[in-house]
Amino acid sequence: MSVPVGAAQPDAVRRKVEAWLAEPEPSDAIALKARPEPLPEPVLTVGGTQVRVVPCPTPLAARAALHDRVDGERLVLLTELTDEELGDGILAHLSKQTVRKIDPWDVVRQVFGGVRHLDPTLVGVGRWVADALVDHAPPDGWPAPPGAVLTRDHALRSLTSELLDLPPTELDDSGLVQWSTDARRQLLFTTLSETIAEGVTTYLTSTAGRLAVPVMAAVRAGHGVDVIPLGLLAGLLWPDGADGPGEVEAAIGRTRLEPWFGGLRLTPQQAGALHQTAEAWVYRTFDSGAEGREEAVRLLRRAEVIAAEIGVTGLLGASTVLPSGFIQRLRAFADAVRLAVPAGGAPVPGMVSRAQTALAAVEAHRAAERRRLETARMAVRLLRWLHTTDGPAPATLLDALNRQVRQDGWVDRARLDVFAGDPDRQVADAYRMLHRAVDIRRARHDRQFADLLAAATDGEAEPGALIRVEDVLDRVVQPVVDAGRRVLLLVLDGMGVAAAVELAESITRSGAWVELTNDGGPRVGVLAALPTVTEASRCSLLSGRLAVGGQQAELKAFRERFPTGRLLHKKALRAGAGAALDPEVLTALGDPATPVVAAVINTIDDALDRSDPGTAVWSQDTVTAVGDLLASATDRVVVIVSDHGHVVDRGPESVVLPSDSSENRWRPATGPAGDDEVTVTGSRVLLGGGPVVLPWREEVRYGPRKAGYHGGAAPAEAVIPLLVLAAGDDLAVPGWAGAPVASPDWWREPVIESAPASPTAATGRRRARRPVEPQPEGLFDLTPAPATPAPAPASREPAVPDLVAALLASDRYAQRRDPRAPLADDRVAALLSTLIAGGDRATLETLAARSGVPAHRINGTVNALRRLLQVEGYPVITVDPDGRTVHLNRVLLTEQFELEPR
């Protein structure tokens, strides 16, 4: 009696027919065990032979089909009947005189090139694999396995690759996520049966990991092209760590996200894998070129749209890639800044520390906008400056000038960025509050400087150590020439201290040029002539005496001062097509008989009229003439100065005062000076025919509005930066040496919250300063940070001074000192004390500044310290991959040098 069987798969029938026709001397008909149902194509053409497929539910139907067969035609009878039920008369006309079975695994062997053996684990997967391999076999068959056995992995990898239209080598997590971006390639998978889809997904978990399940679920649900946006959100809805304040919102979001995955509720592990791979795709695609960046931005925006649809936009601040995450972090930072600048008082130390922590979260965002991030860094620097104690007023004009060079000029550099602001209103409000607080303190300094300037000018005070603009040739340039070195004097018209900070950093960054200072001391500045305009100050500079005039007067005076020298103005520097410098300029620079070549560069001063000097970054890239001249002057000592600085236009904050002249920042003394002005008189006042009135407040002007101004008594205008450089030689000029780190502590050092004194700590022990670490989980928590834990009791380890002293006194240390190039004990002590005070870490700049090492030598000094303290290959001193942060392993130092207390 016949037993019901399944319907025949068309592809399985075709493959069986192909095998049948390949047999030697095949008969005219074959009977296959299958449900007698018509196929979509009742007539097949196989290798040029026409084959008709006939359902035969009864012996009579089979007999009729055989009777009706035409010459040249082959028959396939689909029947559930047994051999006995068909009878010998019919069987005599059939292949092998029997009803043959359609064994899908036999067909699988055939479509894999006639492989003889099957991996038992492949067969164990289930019948669906065989059916799928037969139904979806490529026209040319599947790729043959590398051996005699068709393995489970080869079969399933081939099947999955075909169904996903994805190369077999790309069936990993990154390949699967990339595949999800192509809607066309997902179409076939969405039409597969549930059994095949689940089987393929299960296999993908072995090649692509946990993310395979959510990816394929999203595809089946019709949201495959949103896999990457969904993955970006998964990291916010399934965050690592303990529950935070947004857990309720996240829980609601997880529920609302389930329909996007066809009702699947992701496990934390699946969500984490999907999130990690989606973020990696974003980073990789951003780096792939303009088209890749455009595609990545599109999916980032799509993630934000989905976040809005499921109501979790409040969680976007935790994202390190979504644009809204950067904005939320920046706004949280702005809140911290606002709290750190209370109206009418100094910043609260705990709040400054919180602002630093919030900045770290902004910096950690991978899509941070560079300009806005740099402005945030400048804001923190200004908070730290406000956090420092404002000492007593300077006693002399030299003290006030040095303050501008070493402190306030750096403040100006930072506040220019903060003044330029941020497009977000919430952030802009915080910056406005900060800028106002900085202005209050800077205005006090500006007034002190202006009063001292007026008094010294009126009293014709001797300059002493103060360098005036008319003294630069005699006191700076001529001694270098007398020492046998040629000089390139660069006069950057309009460059103040803030611009010089940027320029010096860009020139010395590569190490090719070394900054020199007198006796290796701190930077000094130069005092401009008054009023602080080009006509008076630059002519005095290039004449070597107080003088007024234009380019012709400058050329004449410079030739008198250096008969064989060369002064180049803007027109003389210009060259024809293809050349950065005029050939005559190159000849002068290379001429041994030309002791001094001076070049006037107007890039900054021109910006005061035609661009925005407040937002420009003054470097070799923006002042290109500097880089071009330096490249051809490596055998000269380079002196960089200006004739005056400048102040930027304050927009709506500007104050316009009446004046009898058309000058912007000075006026004749036809009336008394107001509260924002000083009256100056004396031999160094070169214009106005007598006393003149100069504004000291930066907001004041008299003439038409421009991008920037000069002429007044503000230190940003009256203090000229002075930079002396040599190409890799810090001994180029007798009496000059490699400069120390120029930046003030607050520019580079974080504010550290003081820990309460430990009752068990040894007396006199210095408390370790800990670095501020990013704390994203506390991003929106603006309460004071918990205090740093107190140091361990003295009985556990030596007090800091004792540790360094014990090291220097140890036998092993004495043995390791290199007599050929010893690192002085006091230098070792300074370096280690700095590291210990910083919580066993410090930046290279901080080490240089605190230990008295010239900035350009700190790398070599740290390397020498590493070699000295590295016993048996164990690194006591290490440097971060960023090349900027040095770490001390104090435990290893104690062990290697046997410094444990006995």
Side-chain angles (χ1 to χ4, degrees):
M1 181 177 179
S2 61
V3 178
V5 295
Q9 298 294 326
D11 285 338
V13 171
R14 173 177 284 276
R15 299 298 180 185
K16 192 69 174 178
V17 169
E18 290 172 352
W20 165 48
L21 295 179
E23 295 173 357
E25 299 182 2
S27 57
D28 293 330
I30 185 174
L32 300 179
K33 197 77 167 181
R35 187 182 303 158
E37 294 176 351
L39 296 185
E41 295 183 34
V43 178
L44 307 177
T45 301
V46 180
T49 301
Q50 192 175 56
V51 180
R52 184 159 52 92
V53 182
V54 182
C56 298
T58 64
L60 183 60
R63 191 176 299 278
L66 290 171
H67 180 270
D68 294 339
R69 184 185 70 83
V70 299
D71 290 340
E73 181 184 58
R74 301 294 181 93
L75 285 179
V76 175
L77 308 181
L78 301 181
T79 182
E80 295 177 320
L81 300 173
T82 65
D83 289 354
E84 292 77 10
E85 290 173 327
L86 283 176
D88 292 340
I90 295 177
L91 292 178
H93 297 279
L94 302 180
S95 172
K96 297 189 178 181
Q97 292 79 49
T98 186
V99 178
R100 302 170 67 172
K101 294 181 180 179
I102 304 178
D103 185 348
W105 294 111
D106 288 340
V107 181
V108 167
R109 289 187 182 91
Q110 178 188 347
V111 294
F112 275 96
V115 64
R116 296 182 60 187
H117 303 290
L118 298 177
D119 183 350
T121 60
L122 171 61
V123 179
V125 171
R127 169 69 180 263
W128 70 267
V129 183
D131 291 339
L133 287 169
V134 172
D135 292 344
H136 298 284
D140 297 332
W142 296 107
V149 178
L150 176 60
T151 64
R152 174 183 179 275
D153 182 72
H154 182 80
L156 289 177
R157 184 176 292 273
S158 300
L159 174 64
T160 304
S161 173
E162 180 69 18
L163 295 179
L164 271 57
D165 190 17
L166 190 63
T169 56
E170 297 180 17
L171 296 178
D172 54 11
D173 52 357
S174 60
L176 194 59
V177 166
Q178 179 65 45
W179 170 79
S180 73
T181 64
D182 189 341
R184 178 191 60 80
R185 294 201 291 177
Q186 300 172 29
L187 290 177
L188 177 58
F189 187 81
T190 61
T191 63
L192 296 176
S193 68
E194 193 70 26
T195 301
I196 296 178
E198 289 181 359
V200 169
T201 301
T202 300
Y203 173 72
L204 283 171
T205 59
S206 67
T207 64
R210 292 190 175 101
L211 67 81
V213 172
V215 168
M216 306 316 288
V219 172
R220 296 282 288 177
H223 300 292
V225 293
D226 287 327
V227 160
I228 291 173
L230 293 171
L232 297 176
L233 296 179
L236 311 180
L237 300 177
W238 283 269
D240 294 331
D243 294 346
E247 175 55 27
V248 173
E249 186 176 357
I252 296 173
R254 290 194 290 268
T255 301
R256 292 175 176 172
L257 205 63
E258 289 179 13
W260 296 78
F261 295 100
L264 173 70
R265 187 170 187 83
L266 275 60
T267 66
Q269 293 77 17
Q270 291 170 340
L274 180 59
H275 172 69
Q276 183 178 3
T277 308
E279 278 203 346
W281 181 91
V282 171
Y283 303 150
R284 186 170 60 251
T285 308
F286 255 111
D287 296 336
S288 65
E291 291 185 5
R293 284 193 295 272
E294 183 177 344
E295 175 68 4
V297 168
R298 184 184 69 80
L299 293 185
L300 290 173
R301 297 298 185 191
R302 176 59 181 161
E304 294 181 340
V305 170
I306 297 174
E309 290 182 16
I310 64 176
V312 294
T313 54
L315 300 177
L316 296 184
S319 171
T320 59
V321 295
L322 294 176
S324 293
F326 172 69
I327 298 300
Q328 288 194 20
R329 292 182 182 210
L330 195 60
R331 288 174 178 173
F333 167 73
D335 291 340
V337 169
R338 190 179 295 106
L339 290 176
V341 189
V348 180
M351 291 296 99
V352 176
S353 179
R354 276 294 176 184
Q356 292 173 155
T357 301
L359 173 63
V362 176
E363 291 175 323
H365 199 282
R366 298 293 295 267
E369 298 176 38
R370 181 176 300 178
R371 181 187 66 81
R372 300 174 76 179
L373 176 58
E374 189 61 23
T375 302
R377 289 173 176 153
M378 293 299 179
V380 165
R381 284 168 169 155
L382 292 177
L383 285 175
R384 294 200 293 249
W385 177 70
L386 289 173
H387 177 67
T388 62
T389 302
D390 195 11
T396 66
L397 180 58
L398 177 61
D399 292 338
L401 183 145
N402 286 337
R403 180 173 64 181
Q404 176 65 18
V405 173
R406 301 167 190 172
Q407 294 284 338
D408 288 357
W410 296 80
V411 174
D412 293 344
R413 166 70 189 90
R415 68 174 175 149
L416 284 172
D417 278 9
V418 172
F419 177 77
D422 191 273
D424 184 84
R425 179 174 297 180
Q426 183 175 333
V427 179
D429 288 343
Y431 287 169
R432 187 179 302 110
M433 180 183 297
L434 172 61
H435 193 272
R436 189 179 304 117
V438 171
D439 261 2
I440 292 173
R441 187 164 170 178
R442 280 293 284 109
R444 185 164 63 248
H445 290 189
D446 289 353
R447 180 60 187 262
Q448 293 166 355
F449 177 89
D451 288 344
L452 290 168
L453 175 65
T457 305
D458 181 58
E460 302 288 351
E462 290 296 321
L466 187 149
I467 302 175
R468 302 169 303 185
V469 69
E470 63 268 27
D471 302 329
V472 169
L473 295 184
D474 284 334
R475 295 179 62 177
V476 179
V477 175
Q478 190 62 52
V480 177
V481 175
D482 293 343
R485 296 298 302 267
R486 293 176 298 145
V487 174
L488 170 62
L489 175 65
L490 298 181
V491 182
L492 273 73
D493 200 336
M495 179 179 69
V497 175
V501 164
E502 297 174 330
L503 185 63
E505 181 181 347
S506 75
I507 294 174
T508 60
R509 184 180 297 123
S510 69
W513 289 92
V514 176
E515 182 181 358
L516 308 179
T517 54
N518 198 0
D519 291 328
R523 281 181 188 168
V524 298
V526 176
L527 185 66
L530 303 177
T532 52
V533 294
T534 301
E535 182 183 4
S537 210
R538 194 174 80 190
C539 192
S540 298
L541 167 68
L542 296 173
S543 301
R545 55 182 171 77
L546 291 172
V548 176
Q551 291 187 13
Q552 293 305 313
E554 293 169 358
L555 288 166
K556 179 181 179 182
F558 191 79
R559 278 196 298 267
E560 292 174 356
R561 187 68 177 77
F562 297 104
T564 59
R566 183 76 184 271
L567 173 59
L568 307 166
H569 287 92
K570 181 190 297 186
K571 291 182 179 179
L573 293 174
R574 290 175 177 165
L581 296 173
D582 187 277
E584 293 189 9
V585 174
L586 297 176
T587 300
L589 288 172
D591 187 359
T594 306
V596 181
V597 175
V600 177
I601 300 173
N602 299 96
T603 306
I604 297 176
D605 194 59
D606 288 347
L608 302 181
D609 280 328
R610 292 183 286 275
S611 64
D612 188 355
T615 58
V617 177
W618 301 115
S619 66
Q620 293 185 87
D621 295 329
T622 50
V623 190
T624 55
V626 170
D628 296 336
L629 289 165
L630 289 179
S632 302
T634 54
D635 58 344
R636 291 178 178 264
V637 174
V638 177
V639 178
I640 301 179
V641 293
S642 68
D643 50 354
H644 53 75
H646 67 269
V647 295
V648 300
D649 182 71
R650 292 298 192 90
E653 299 174 7
S654 297
V655 177
V656 182
L657 297 180
S659 170
D660 295 334
S661 74
S662 60
E663 300 296 335
N664 266 301
R665 286 279 293 175
W666 69 275
R667 64 179 177 85
T670 54
D675 292 340
D676 300 331
E677 304 167 312
V678 292
T679 301
V680 292
T681 184
S683 62
R684 298 195 77 250
V685 179
L686 305 183
L687 299 175
V692 296
V693 174
L694 308 179
W696 59 264
R697 187 178 291 278
E698 294 185 2
E699 296 92 330
V700 171
R701 75 171 195 271
Y702 305 114
R705 185 176 182 180
K706 296 182 178 180
Y709 316 96
H710 53 86
E717 301 163 283
V719 177
I720 296 170
L722 172 63
L723 301 173
V724 179
L725 305 165
D729 182 8
D730 60 354
L731 302 177
V733 182
W736 292 67
V741 172
S743 59
D745 285 350
W746 54 263
W747 183 265
R748 61 182 184 275
E749 293 293 320
V751 170
I752 306 298
E753 291 188 60
S754 298
S758 171
T760 60
T763 304
R765 176 169 178 169
R766 292 174 61 185
R767 182 179 298 114
R769 298 174 64 195
R770 292 196 171 274
V772 175
E773 298 292 346
Q775 300 178 25
E777 67 276 9
L779 181 61
F780 303 103
D781 179 9
L782 296 175
T783 57
T788 304
S795 59
R796 298 281 183 96
E797 59 182 32
V800 169
D802 294 341
L803 178 64
V804 177
L807 171 70
L808 299 180
S810 69
D811 292 338
R812 177 162 289 183
Y813 175 81
Q815 295 169 2
R816 292 194 58 77
R817 291 196 65 197
D818 187 350
R820 295 169 299 177
L823 195 60
D825 287 353
D826 58 348
R827 183 62 50 78
V828 173
L831 290 166
L832 291 177
S833 297
T834 301
L835 287 165
I836 293 170
D840 296 336
R841 63 182 290 173
T843 64
L844 288 171
E845 282 191 339
T846 296
L847 282 175
R850 299 284 174 81
S851 58
V853 178
H856 72 286
R857 290 189 179 274
I858 188 59
N859 283 298
T861 301
V862 169
N863 286 333
L865 183 66
R866 292 172 67 179
R867 291 192 297 269
L868 176 64
L869 300 182
Q870 183 167 309
V871 179
E872 298 178 354
Y874 293 99
V876 171
I877 300 293
T878 56
V879 180
D880 272 352
D882 64 5
R884 297 181 61 249
T885 306
V886 181
H887 295 264
L888 166 67
N889 188 327
R890 203 188 313 190
V891 173
L892 192 56
L893 174 69
T894 302
E895 292 177 356
Q896 294 297 319
F897 288 86
E898 300 176 352
L899 305 178
E900 295 90 348
R902 301 182 184 279

